[in-house]
Amino acid sequence: QVRLQESGPRLVKPSETLSLTCTVSGGSISSYFWSWIRQPPGKTLEWIGNIYYSGSTNYNPSLKSRVTISLDTSKDQFSLKVSSVIAADTAVYYCARAYYDIWSGYSLHFFDYWGQGTLVTVSS
Amino acid sequence: EIVLTQSPGTLSLSPGERCTLSCRASQSISSSYLAWYQQKPGQAPRLLIYGASSRATGFPDRFSGSGSGTDFSLTISRLEPEDFAVYYCQQYGSSPYTFGQGTKLEIK
């Protein structure tokens, strides 16, 4: 069974950089797209961006100037950095896996596995 | 960016009743690339429907999805106590992938 687990600081000061890591277990990081998604308290979900196992990335234009997603295949981990954070970046951050159809070889960007989520608060 | 509008915002029903949740897109979603998720308090969203009408593993057949183009719906034929949750639609036809604002299904 594939499991994803987010880790990182739960409190970040305004203007600093938020850093999270997602560790994948029970399955390979290869052949998949891996995403970060966030959910401010009481609000809906926002897709932040993704990374392919090859290292190519795609970001939401609303956050693109402040976001970096990277991958460490040797550790089966991928990471998120959000720079210059403000209070509006306070949210539960989820890592998630995009579906891969083994028969067609295509990836479809709905999310079949999610981490449990971690609340990151931006406050001084 | 495709904007998804879900209605109603909140639905108050009793176990055993039937419900239909709506998700409308600001532009046509290619290949019916629409998913639905169920989220319970303090939990991550759980994939429920993909491809507008394919049910994910672990969900019973009282859940069904339909629609195409810009109009999609999720129907629960007979509500069970465990079905009361928030439901989100998501389009994955074009990046950025976007979610609706959610429908909260609460016990009446």
Side-chain angles (χ1 to χ4, degrees):
Chain A
Q1 177 76 338
V2 176
R3 289 186 180 272
L4 288 76
Q5 178 68 58
E6 304 89 350
S7 60
R10 307 296 177 92
L11 180 64
V12 182
K13 289 182 169 53
S15 79
E16 295 189 345
T17 296
L18 178 160
S19 297
L20 294 173
T21 295
C22 182
T23 301
V24 180
S25 60
S28 175
I29 206 164
S30 298
S31 303
Y32 292 95
F33 283 88
W34 302 93
S35 279
W36 287 97
I37 297 162
R38 70 181 185 178
Q39 185 174 35
K43 296 187 177 181
T44 189
L45 300 147
E46 179 180 33
W47 177 76
I48 299 170
N50 66 21
I51 188 165
Y52 192 44
Y53 78 101
S54 64
S56 63
T57 55
N58 181 27
Y59 300 129
N60 191 323
S62 68
L63 292 163
K64 187 173 183 176
S65 63
R66 298 193 294 128
V67 169
T68 302
I69 298 176
S70 59
L71 186 69
D72 186 341
T73 55
S74 68
K75 296 181 179 179
D76 284 334
Q77 293 178 334
F78 61 106
S79 298
L80 170 72
K81 292 188 186 297
V82 182
S83 63
S84 306
V85 296
I86 60 175
D89 292 313
T90 293
V92 175
Y93 285 77
Y94 295 101
C95 55
R97 190 186 82 171
Y99 175 79
Y100 174 72
D101 185 336
I102 60 172
W103 301 110
S104 68
Y106 286 113
S107 294
L108 297 172
H109 296 279
F110 61 89
F111 308 104
D112 56 357
Y113 287 95
W114 296 66
Q116 65 185 28
T118 187
L119 174 62
V120 179
T121 302
V122 177
S123 175
S124 56
Chain B
E1 171 176 320
I2 296 178
V3 176
L4 299 178
T5 302
Q6 292 186 241
S7 60
T10 302
L11 195 52
S12 300
L13 294 171
S14 301
E17 291 193 276
R18 176 187 179 90
C19 74
T20 298
L21 283 60
S22 173
C23 177
R24 180 162 290 176
S26 60
Q27 55 187 278
S28 184
I29 297 174
S30 60
S31 305
S32 294
Y33 282 166
L34 187 106
W36 291 91
Y37 299 85
Q38 178 191 70
Q39 187 178 35
K40 295 182 178 180
Q43 297 183 16
R46 184 182 171 196
L47 176 66
L48 169 58
I49 298 284
Y50 60 94
S53 60
S54 297
R55 200 167 46 251
T57 304
F59 281 95
D61 60 7
R62 65 177 181 271
F63 291 91
S64 62
S66 63
S68 64
T70 61
D71 291 308
F72 299 86
S73 62
L74 172 69
T75 298
I76 310 174
S77 60
R78 289 180 320 280
L79 286 166
E80 297 288 341
E82 62 267 26
D83 299 337
F84 292 90
V86 180
Y87 292 84
Y88 294 97
C89 57
Q90 179 230 336
Q91 67 81 20
Y92 52 98
S94 65
S95 178
Y97 312 113
T98 51
F99 295 83
Q101 81 276 25
T103 290
K104 182 180 182 180
L105 182 55
E106 63 178 25
I107 299 177
K108 189 173 182 179

